[in-house]
Amino acid sequence: MSVLLVFMWVESSNEYNGFDWVIFIGTGLWFFWSIVLLSFLGILAAYTSLLLVLGFLLLWEGIELYLHWCHKILILLVIVICSFFFWILFTYWKDRWLTIGLSLQVFAPYIHLSSIAMMVILSWPLAFYLIHLEGEARIRRFQMTCNESKRNKRCNVLTKLRALQVAIGLPFFLILLCLYLLPLGNFSPCVQEKDKLAPKPDFFGHRGAPMLGPENTIMSFEKAVEHGAYGLESDVHISYDHVPFLMHDSDLRRTTNIKEVLPNASLTHPSLFDWDFLSTLNAGKWFSHAPIKPFFGMKPLSEADRERAGNQKIPKLTELLELAQKEKKFVIFDLNSPAPSHSLRALYVHHVVSIILDSQIEQRLIFWLPDFEREYVKKKAPGFQQVGRLFSVERLTKENITRINIDYKNLFYNGMREYRAANISINLYLVNEPWLFSLAWCSRIPSVTTDNIQVLNEMTQPSYFLTPKYYLFVWILMDILSAVFIVAIFYFHWWNESKKEKLLKSTSIHIESLSTRLGTGNSKTQEPSCIYIDPVPRVTEIPWTQAALSPALTKNLRKYPDSSRVSVVPVKKACKSEPVSKTIKTPVPGKDDIRQQVPTLKASESTQAPIWVSAREALFPSSSAMKANGTFSFVDVSHPQKQTERPPKTKPSEESLPVFTTSSPSSSS
């Protein structure tokens, strides 16, 4: 939830100034509230992402998760905050989702290629886990015995392992397949041939150039003209003594020094002031000398521009018309109705039209935007170019309107193709971000209204623009490389797991062979059971060291220090119990055997034949030793510094005679 909110707000960067203005209307304090919100959402996303990564790593290491109570409270707060913001989005800001849709149209090719690269990175842990599950399944299948109950249990485990592999691997490969085929159904206006690219859209300076001069001042409009504005956009109020002037807000707090001059009247509607008073207010110091600029990231002003901006006044509408007539620029404006107590409340449209006609400006330079009393305006000033809103094509055709001024988010609906097919010119407002201007350019939009004219005017081609052939080449190349990398990753993990599996099988085969050779019988209906005995004690006195007795056994004990597990192999039922000592025969040493004889501890047994004790003989008995009829017994050599306590010897059972063979824990498992 937090990551989705961050993504949504980052893509809504075009609306940051408008958001700050809305907060100012409610609080009276101008600040970069949009950046504060972005930072706050970023902290939430970073915190939750960090917890998620840490939890994943703990699970990877097999550590049980334990979340501290303070983190539980913070996560609960994150859920509540994110739910609150989503409620606002779905209730009051539904059009913000259209902005995300527009951004996906621009960034779709790049998101597609980045997603494939991300899938390659994710394939490493996924392949490791899937191959590990496969190895586990093979080991369990290899260890299956004839015991039906054990077999059924292991079959159930194998089924669960296969189901887990499918549940994890199948979505991954389905998503990867969709990404491979995504360009077949992907539509991005910025993927087209260069010769089919429309001309660069024209610019209407929104309140002039508000990043270069105070909005709705002559300096701002002149800056817009310097940067190639096609037209000038403004907002018109009418003073109490019937003078139209330029002002956007419904009060004078933000863009004038009314709080210094007349604090008690700072919230009064602008139409209730006489022009004589309005003309004395400063309309530039809030822009040039304020510690917080109106736009985040705005470039600092030069000393000359700073001084000029600090001396700006509220301009009349006639001053803007004179500049437009001089520079041959179009003028479009929103006409705000006066306060209810104003004397021109019912006739302010007539009055403004007469003022425009008296200014001697060419009528074709006026884009008339207000909807009310349009028929009167058509009769009084037939040369005005009528500009509509987002009306239906039938209504626009009926009213003979050939140009519309709409919010940029409406571009999401099929790129306004229906209007373009009807030869209706479209002007989008408010377009400040280069990616959004690039989308309008690729969508063949004739003009846009912008605050950021100095940046957009320098663009020579749309950002994120791709030709179909180049995108096709990158797409196929990325698919091939990613497929090769993913196959190589899976093969590497399979090869690594196969080595471990072969080692385990070879060890198991040696132990099974040893049990078969040493056992006097084998029951097919019984499985080897496991018991634990004390590890073989080591003798420190030379030459009775463990290394001297068997170098191979010493290496195995170093590798498996806890290898104290033995198997009890059941043998056939003995007809007559015989003493174990009588079954012991002296093994004949091989020709190449290098071993030490271990003397018995009792003096009375010194005359008996020497007993050869060797782990090598136990693991790999010679052919002569295997001819012995009976079983082997071990002679324990007690450690000189530690005498372990042995359990009392019991009489062997008549059912089976245990034969002890050493094995490592990995083999026993």
Side-chain angles (χ1 to χ4, degrees):
M1 295 172 66
S2 59
V3 170
L4 182 59
L5 284 176
V6 170
F7 174 75
M8 182 277 302
W9 194 238
V10 168
E11 295 303 318
S12 301
S13 58
N14 193 81
E15 305 287 338
Y16 283 178
N17 185 259
F19 179 79
D20 296 339
W21 177 77
V22 171
I23 300 299
F24 171 81
I25 295 300
T27 62
L29 178 63
W30 181 264
F31 194 70
F32 298 130
W33 302 108
S34 56
I35 305 301
V36 173
L37 180 59
L38 178 63
S39 303
F40 178 71
L41 296 178
I43 292 173
L44 295 184
Y47 168 71
T48 53
S49 301
L50 180 60
L51 282 183
L52 183 64
V53 171
L54 290 177
F56 175 78
L57 294 178
L58 290 175
L59 290 177
W60 183 272
E61 295 295 331
I63 302 175
E64 183 180 359
L65 295 182
Y66 175 76
L67 197 63
H68 196 269
W69 63 268
C70 65
H71 290 298
K72 295 180 181 179
I73 295 176
L74 290 176
I75 289 180
L76 181 61
L77 289 177
V78 170
I79 294 175
V80 172
I81 293 172
C82 292
S83 302
F84 172 74
F85 279 111
F86 275 115
W87 175 76
I88 291 178
L89 286 174
F90 283 107
T91 305
Y92 300 104
W93 281 0
K94 294 181 180 180
D95 55 354
R96 290 295 173 268
W97 301 109
L98 301 180
T99 303
I100 297 178
L102 292 175
S103 68
L104 292 178
Q105 291 184 13
V106 177
F107 300 110
Y110 301 91
I111 294 177
H112 165 237
L113 299 177
S114 301
S115 300
I116 293 179
M118 184 60 65
M119 295 297 286
V120 174
I121 297 174
L122 291 177
S123 65
W124 181 272
L126 183 75
F128 173 81
Y129 191 63
L130 291 179
I131 299 299
H132 177 72
L133 292 178
E134 180 66 21
E136 182 72 16
R138 290 183 179 181
I139 292 173
R140 291 182 180 272
R141 193 184 304 111
F142 178 76
Q143 292 177 344
M144 277 189 176
T145 62
C146 297
N147 192 313
E148 290 300 328
S149 61
K150 295 284 186 178
R151 177 183 291 275
N152 292 334
K153 290 181 180 179
R154 284 174 176 169
C155 287
N156 292 334
V157 172
L158 288 177
T159 303
K160 293 179 180 179
L161 290 176
R162 292 299 183 190
L164 187 58
Q165 283 180 300
V166 173
I168 296 177
L170 184 61
F172 174 82
F173 288 105
L174 288 179
I175 294 174
L176 187 64
L177 180 62
C178 293
L179 289 176
Y180 283 163
L181 302 179
L182 182 64
L184 298 178
N186 179 32
F187 170 74
S188 177
C190 292
V191 179
Q192 57 177 294
E193 299 291 347
K194 288 185 178 181
D195 55 353
K196 295 182 180 180
L197 186 63
K200 185 177 180 179
D202 297 320
F203 300 108
F204 278 88
H206 186 237
R207 308 170 198 169
M211 293 187 181
L212 303 176
E215 65 177 58
N216 281 326
T217 61
I218 297 300
M219 176 185 176
S220 179
F221 292 117
E222 290 179 348
K223 289 290 185 180
V225 172
E226 291 177 6
H227 287 83
Y230 172 77
L232 305 175
E233 189 273 344
S234 186
D235 308 272
V236 177
H237 283 276
I238 301 176
S239 66
Y240 197 74
D241 51 354
H242 306 170
V243 177
F245 64 96
L246 308 182
M247 179 63 60
H248 174 267
D249 295 0
S250 58
D251 57 59
L252 304 174
R253 291 178 299 166
R254 184 173 65 90
T255 58
T256 67
N257 61 339
I258 185 69
K259 288 185 177 181
E260 300 176 1
V261 178
L262 200 61
N264 296 332
S266 59
L267 297 177
T268 304
H269 196 274
S271 62
L272 299 179
F273 293 99
D274 290 333
W275 174 248
D276 292 338
F277 173 76
L278 293 173
S279 61
T280 61
L281 297 177
N282 185 287
K285 285 187 177 180
W286 69 274
F287 178 86
S288 60
H289 294 77
I292 301 176
K293 302 301 180 183
F295 293 90
F296 182 78
M298 190 180 72
K299 293 183 179 180
L301 300 175
S302 64
E303 191 62 32
D305 287 343
R306 187 169 183 270
E307 182 179 357
R308 181 186 177 189
N311 296 324
Q312 293 297 304
K313 302 292 184 179
I314 300 176
K316 296 180 181 179
L317 174 61
T318 54
E319 296 180 55
L320 174 61
L321 299 177
E322 291 175 4
L323 177 62
Q325 177 64 33
K326 177 182 177 181
E327 301 293 341
K328 303 299 180 182
K329 301 297 180 183
F330 294 95
V331 176
I332 185 173
F333 55 86
D334 287 310
L335 183 57
N336 297 282
S337 59
S341 59
H342 198 280
S343 58
L344 290 178
R345 173 72 176 182
L347 300 174
Y348 68 97
V349 174
H350 298 206
H351 180 70
V352 171
V353 170
S354 63
I355 293 293
I356 295 174
L357 294 177
D358 293 342
S359 66
Q360 302 300 318
I361 188 176
E362 298 179 40
Q363 292 189 16
R364 66 177 185 86
L365 297 179
I366 301 298
F367 284 4
W368 185 262
L369 184 59
D371 294 328
F372 29 86
E373 298 196 44
R374 192 178 291 273
E375 294 300 325
Y376 168 81
V377 176
K378 288 181 179 180
K379 294 179 181 179
K380 190 70 174 179
F384 288 2
Q385 298 191 46
Q386 299 296 321
V387 180
R389 305 286 183 176
L390 190 61
F391 305 142
S392 64
V393 176
E394 292 77 11
R395 178 181 174 182
L396 295 174
T397 304
K398 181 180 179 180
E399 297 182 4
N400 196 24
I401 297 176
T402 60
R403 184 182 295 270
I404 58 176
N405 186 56
I406 60 174
D407 192 347
Y408 75 90
K409 290 181 281 294
N410 293 291
L411 190 63
F412 177 79
Y413 302 107
N414 296 324
M416 308 300 295
R417 297 178 186 175
E418 182 183 359
Y419 292 88
R420 289 190 282 114
N423 293 323
I424 296 176
S425 182
I426 302 172
N427 180 72
L428 296 181
Y429 71 90
L430 182 65
V431 178
N432 291 333
E433 293 297 318
W435 71 265
L436 189 56
F437 178 71
S438 300
L439 179 62
W441 190 346
C442 296
S443 300
R444 310 181 72 86
I445 299 299
S447 61
V448 298
T449 301
T450 180
D451 292 325
N452 201 15
I453 189 173
Q454 72 280 359
V455 173
L456 302 184
N457 188 49
E458 296 178 355
M459 296 176 60
T460 57
Q461 70 174 9
S463 302
Y464 315 104
F465 179 80
L466 295 172
T467 60
K469 292 182 179 179
Y470 180 76
Y471 180 45
L472 180 64
F473 169 76
V474 176
W475 166 37
I476 296 177
L477 179 63
M478 194 71 178
D479 287 357
I480 294 175
L481 291 178
S482 63
V484 170
F485 274 107
I486 291 175
V487 171
I489 289 172
F490 272 83
Y491 177 78
F492 171 77
H493 286 293
W494 175 81
W495 173 76
N496 194 20
E497 190 70 22
S498 298
K499 288 200 321 181
K500 298 179 182 178
E501 184 179 349
K502 289 180 181 179
L503 179 61
L504 181 60
K505 285 185 177 181
S506 62
T507 307
S508 301
I509 291 173
H510 284 306
I511 295 172
E512 184 178 353
S513 176
L514 179 62
S515 301
T516 304
R517 293 179 182 180
L518 295 181
T520 59
N522 186 18
S523 177
K524 295 183 178 180
T525 61
Q526 292 182 352
E527 290 186 0
S529 60
C530 297
I531 63 173
Y532 286 89
I533 64 171
D534 294 336
V536 179
R538 294 182 295 179
V539 182
T540 56
E541 289 83 353
I542 298 175
W544 314 111
T545 61
Q546 193 173 13
L549 290 174
S550 177
L553 181 59
T554 307
K555 294 180 180 179
N556 289 333
L557 288 177
R558 284 199 301 265
K559 186 174 182 180
Y560 304 102
D562 295 331
S563 57
S564 59
R565 201 169 183 177
V566 301
S567 298
V568 180
V569 182
V571 298
K572 294 181 180 180
K573 182 177 180 180
C575 296
K576 184 178 180 180
S577 177
E578 296 181 2
V580 178
S581 60
K582 293 182 180 181
T583 63
I584 300 176
K585 291 186 178 182
T586 305
V588 180
K591 182 178 179 180
D592 299 330
D593 290 344
I594 303 175
R595 294 172 292 184
Q596 298 290 339
Q597 295 182 357
V598 183
T600 57
L601 298 178
K602 296 182 180 180
S604 61
E605 300 176 358
S606 61
T607 60
Q608 297 179 3
I611 299 175
W612 299 85
V613 180
S614 171
R616 181 180 299 174
E617 186 69 14
L619 293 175
F620 305 99
S622 61
S623 59
S624 60
M626 292 302 299
K627 294 179 181 179
N629 182 17
T631 59
F632 291 97
S633 64
F634 292 93
V635 178
D636 293 337
V637 182
S638 302
H639 197 282
Q641 296 180 0
K642 178 180 179 182
Q643 297 292 338
T644 59
E645 187 175 334
R646 303 288 183 178
K649 295 183 179 180
T650 59
K651 185 178 180 179
S653 172
E654 294 182 358
E655 293 292 329
S656 62
L657 181 62
V659 179
F660 298 91
T661 59
T662 60
S663 62
S664 64
S666 61
S667 301
S668 301
S669 64

